[in-house]
Amino acid sequence: MSLQTRVSYINRYREIAIAISKSGFGYIIEELGLDKVISLPRRLLICQKDDEVQELTYAERIRLFIESMGTTFIKLGQIASTRGDLLPPELIKELEKLQSHVPSFPSDNVKTIIEDALGAPMDEIFMIFDEDPVGSASIGQVHRAMLLSGEDVAVKVQRPNIEKTVRTDLEILRHLATLAESNLEWARNYQVTDMIDEFSTALINELDYTIEARNMERISKTHKHDSRVIIPGIHWDYTTKEVLVMDFIKGTPINQFDKLDALNIDRSKVADTLAKSIFKQIFEDGYFHGDPHPGNVSVLNDGSLVFLDFGMIGRLTSDLKNNFGSLLISLMKKDASGVVKSIVKMGVVPADVSMKKLNREAEIMRDKYYDVPLSKLNFSDAVNDLFGIANKYKIKLPQDFTILAKTLLTLEGVVSKLDPDFSIMDVAEPFGKALLLERYNPKNLIDFQIDELQQIGTELRDVTSNVHQFSKGLKNSNLPIEIDVKGRSQFSKHLDRVINRLSFSIVLLAFSIVMVGLIVGSAILGEGSIIFRIPIIEIAAIFAMGMFIWLLWSIVKSGRF
């Protein structure tokens, strides 16, 4: 590290320390051990007696501190606002207020960045380029332009040196998180280092516009047959990590209700289109827009929607998608145990958590919504209650699920303003049921059981290999170890039970596969169950059933089932 770099790091540490003190948290500097990292005057280790600051809540002071520290801290704060499972509600509420009030940067910088990124002068790329940005944010700003081919485009340009600034801040923040975990119990409890690492990955991805462009194209494929949802097309010849060129589509922001009314646009239909498009992304593709706030959704004159800004994207694995479907159905059925099972399957539950207490929390939540009709169920309240349970019992949920929950909270907020009588639960219900039907499709069930058996086989091979290696090591090392296994017969019986149950499961699976395969095959061919005048399905069924009964009788007779 050069001398200039070290000096810039030290200066940034000092800026952070001063901002911490001004926010009324001066005592944390010493608790963090930051005073040992750099030389700081004693006055910074004491909370400043600013009456206005002292009257604020701790959450408000944290927000003010974050806003004073600029782009990196603000973006991390915005990402953290999605983690209701990790952070207390009062802090989440303040983090949601974070806004990037960043002025635009000069047009000379814009020109330099574009020409360096694309390797050509501006006049060889654009016929017209508006130097006044149409929008400015913490990472970049957007200009309207026209390509030489005559296409109207929006040009997103990254701020000068923004990646270097962000990476420096992230490195410092991780060091501070490590110091915090070493010195503060609450930091260890919240696992702040893991949180910083997780949030940092999301922020670094936002610095690469090619990732955003690929996100746009993927979600565009989800809606390729839906004329009411539009995703701007990408001009890849002019898109790099620092510059993103896409179709310019002018619409009315979805929260400008007066303009929508003046255009005679049915707000209820707009709400329906928005809700269905988000649920389609979630349930059908498992890849969805993670921040559908009003600034990122516009309405065209015909009522169709335009999605913008795909920097934050949620991804659902098949397991997470299934668990979310179960959670959704459990909420609809007021099934407390189903809610708990879904949470446990999705998250990492600490070993010391009492499942009895966890179920009791879910029952309290169920009672709260028991008599509430589905159309009147406030989804945001239910999600916040779920996050409250996860936070209380230190259940760490997957980041993508928290992005999903945040997306649905934002969605409900937008559609409730478009149409106060609109319920996103009514829209979500058929998607959730379709997901469950897909899960219980016989073919999918068989595939799942085969995967489970393959996993069991792999684990058994691993166990055999480990035992072999262990015994080999004992033999070669001549270790004087004597093993006295008390209750050998009980152990043997238990092992027999395990093996017999496994055999039982395999035969039962084989029986199911044979029967389902024959029935489905004959149904597809339309030739019934008679092949060469032989009732093949009936014979197969009798044969498989005979094997099943014989195995079951043998196991039961042995007394080791």
Side-chain angles (χ1 to χ4, degrees):
M1 184 185 294
S2 67
L3 176 61
Q4 183 179 0
T5 302
R6 286 200 299 270
V7 170
S8 66
Y9 268 53
I10 291 173
N11 288 337
R12 186 57 170 163
Y13 272 112
R14 286 181 178 274
E15 290 175 10
I16 293 171
I18 291 170
I20 290 174
S21 180
K22 286 183 176 180
S23 302
F25 297 113
Y27 60 91
I28 291 182
I29 298 172
E30 191 170 21
E31 291 182 356
L32 282 175
L34 187 56
D35 58 318
K36 298 175 183 177
V37 177
I38 53 177
S39 177
L40 294 170
R42 178 66 186 174
R43 61 184 174 81
L44 286 180
L45 306 182
I46 305 171
C47 288
Q48 295 190 357
K49 302 299 182 181
D50 186 327
D51 292 339
E52 291 186 4
V53 169
Q54 296 300 322
E55 289 177 359
L56 299 174
T57 66
Y58 85 93
E60 290 173 324
R61 283 183 278 156
I62 289 175
R63 174 177 59 81
L64 292 173
F65 161 72
I66 291 174
E67 287 179 338
S68 69
M69 295 312 300
T71 297
T72 308
F73 287 74
I74 291 172
K75 293 298 295 184
L76 286 179
Q78 291 171 340
I79 295 170
S81 69
T82 67
R83 299 311 305 261
D85 60 317
L86 299 178
L87 302 175
E90 59 273 17
L91 181 55
I92 293 293
K93 186 176 180 180
E94 285 299 318
L95 294 178
E96 288 174 342
K97 298 177 183 178
L98 286 171
Q99 299 295 329
S100 306
H101 300 293
V102 183
S104 60
F105 54 94
S107 58
D108 289 344
N109 293 129
V110 173
K111 179 180 178 182
T112 300
I113 292 169
I114 291 176
E115 291 183 343
D116 288 346
L118 300 182
M122 292 281 284
D123 57 8
E124 292 183 10
I125 304 171
F126 304 106
M127 183 185 304
I128 301 172
F129 189 90
D130 189 350
E131 294 184 354
D132 295 324
V134 295
S136 179
S138 54
I139 291 179
Q141 61 191 40
V142 180
H143 294 258
R144 188 173 182 177
M146 182 178 289
L147 296 174
L148 292 179
S149 57
E151 294 168 286
D152 201 7
V153 295
V155 184
K156 197 171 183 178
V157 187
Q158 205 168 98
R159 289 184 173 276
N161 301 315
I162 186 65
E163 182 171 357
K164 180 181 177 182
T165 300
V166 167
R167 288 188 181 275
T168 298
D169 279 349
L170 291 178
E171 189 173 333
I172 290 173
L173 273 171
R174 198 182 193 287
H175 180 224
L176 292 177
T178 304
L179 287 175
E181 285 196 359
S182 300
N183 296 284
L184 304 171
E185 184 178 356
W186 64 263
R188 288 190 292 273
N189 291 337
Y190 279 107
Q191 299 177 313
V192 292
T193 302
D194 290 343
M195 287 171 60
I196 291 296
D197 288 343
E198 185 178 296
F199 300 160
S200 297
T201 300
L203 179 51
I204 291 297
N205 285 340
E206 287 196 47
L207 295 174
D208 187 344
Y209 285 161
T210 62
I211 293 177
E212 180 175 350
R214 287 195 293 271
N215 292 340
M216 295 175 70
E217 287 201 330
R218 176 159 180 176
I219 292 183
S220 178
K221 290 178 181 178
T222 302
H223 297 289
K224 63 182 179 181
H225 300 303
D226 187 355
S227 61
R228 296 187 63 78
V229 178
I230 298 170
I231 313 295
I234 302 297
H235 296 264
W236 281 105
D237 290 341
Y238 309 105
T239 295
T240 68
K241 186 177 178 181
E242 298 85 12
V243 177
L244 171 59
V245 178
M246 69 192 99
D247 294 338
F248 183 88
I249 303 175
K250 180 66 174 176
T252 302
I254 200 168
N255 62 342
Q256 293 188 4
F257 307 127
D258 292 341
K259 291 186 178 180
L260 295 180
D261 293 340
L263 293 169
N264 293 320
I265 292 174
D266 188 332
R267 285 199 265 163
S268 180
K269 288 184 178 179
V270 170
D272 185 68
T273 301
L274 177 60
K276 286 180 178 177
S277 63
I278 293 295
F279 280 113
K280 182 180 177 68
Q281 294 169 20
I282 292 169
F283 284 105
E284 294 188 10
D285 193 32
Y287 201 85
F288 58 94
H289 195 297
D291 192 20
H293 68 74
N296 291 338
V297 185
S298 296
V299 185
L300 300 184
N301 292 349
D302 62 356
S304 57
L305 299 181
V306 180
F307 282 91
L308 304 169
D309 197 343
F310 291 77
M312 183 179 289
I313 289 294
R315 304 168 181 82
L316 297 185
T317 62
S318 58
D319 284 344
L320 190 54
K321 188 163 59 170
N322 285 333
N323 288 332
F324 173 64
S326 297
L327 175 62
L328 200 61
I329 295 298
S330 297
L331 284 172
M332 293 172 180
K333 293 167 59 180
K334 314 293 191 301
D335 178 7
S337 62
V339 169
V340 171
K341 287 177 183 177
S342 299
I343 294 176
V344 169
K345 285 181 180 179
M346 282 189 288
V348 178
V349 182
D352 58 349
V353 168
S354 168
M355 294 306 296
K356 184 177 180 180
K357 290 182 178 179
L358 192 57
N359 276 288
R360 179 58 184 156
E361 292 278 1
E363 288 172 0
I364 293 172
M365 178 180 167
R366 176 200 62 194
D367 294 341
K368 178 179 177 181
Y369 301 107
Y370 190 78
D371 292 324
V372 180
L374 184 61
S375 60
K376 300 297 182 182
L377 181 64
N378 191 317
F379 186 79
S380 59
D381 286 347
V383 170
N384 287 329
D385 286 341
L386 284 174
F387 278 166
I389 293 174
N391 184 264
K392 180 176 180 179
Y393 292 95
K394 301 294 186 292
I395 300 172
K396 188 175 181 181
L397 298 171
Q399 181 187 13
D400 285 318
F401 175 73
T402 60
I403 293 176
L404 169 61
K406 185 70 174 180
T407 298
L408 295 178
L409 292 178
T410 303
L411 172 65
E412 184 174 62
V414 174
V415 299
S416 65
K417 291 177 181 177
L418 284 166
D419 180 2
D421 296 325
F422 191 87
S423 170
I424 68 168
M425 294 299 284
D426 286 340
V427 176
E429 185 176 19
F431 283 97
K433 288 181 176 178
L435 185 63
L436 289 181
L437 286 174
E438 178 185 351
R439 185 196 306 179
Y440 292 116
N441 180 295
K443 180 182 181 301
N444 294 335
L445 282 175
I446 291 172
D447 290 342
F448 175 77
Q449 292 297 329
I450 291 173
D451 290 341
E452 287 286 295
L453 288 174
Q454 288 176 342
Q455 182 65 28
I456 291 172
T458 301
E459 290 175 358
L460 286 174
R461 285 195 298 272
D462 290 342
V463 169
T464 304
S465 176
N466 289 338
V467 170
H468 174 70
Q469 292 297 328
F470 178 69
S471 60
K472 184 179 178 181
L474 290 176
K475 180 179 179 181
N476 294 338
S477 301
N478 295 318
L479 297 176
I481 296 177
E482 182 178 345
I483 300 177
D484 182 16
V485 181
K486 295 181 180 179
R488 289 187 297 271
S489 61
Q490 288 85 347
F491 176 78
S492 176
K493 287 181 180 179
H494 178 69
L495 185 60
D496 282 347
R497 289 192 184 99
V498 172
I499 294 173
N500 284 334
R501 287 177 181 177
L502 181 60
S503 301
F504 178 79
S505 300
I506 293 173
V507 173
L508 183 60
L509 174 66
F511 174 73
S512 302
I513 292 173
V514 169
M515 293 303 299
V516 171
L518 289 171
I519 292 170
V520 171
S522 61
I524 292 174
L525 294 173
E527 296 180 357
S529 61
I530 306 297
I531 300 176
F532 298 114
R533 297 183 179 181
I534 300 174
I536 190 68
I537 290 181
E538 289 79 357
I539 292 174
I542 293 171
F543 178 73
M545 184 61 72
M547 287 183 61
F548 172 76
I549 294 172
W550 174 78
L551 178 62
L552 182 60
W553 171 251
S554 300
I555 294 173
V556 171
K557 187 177 180 181
S558 71
R560 296 181 178 182
F561 183 63

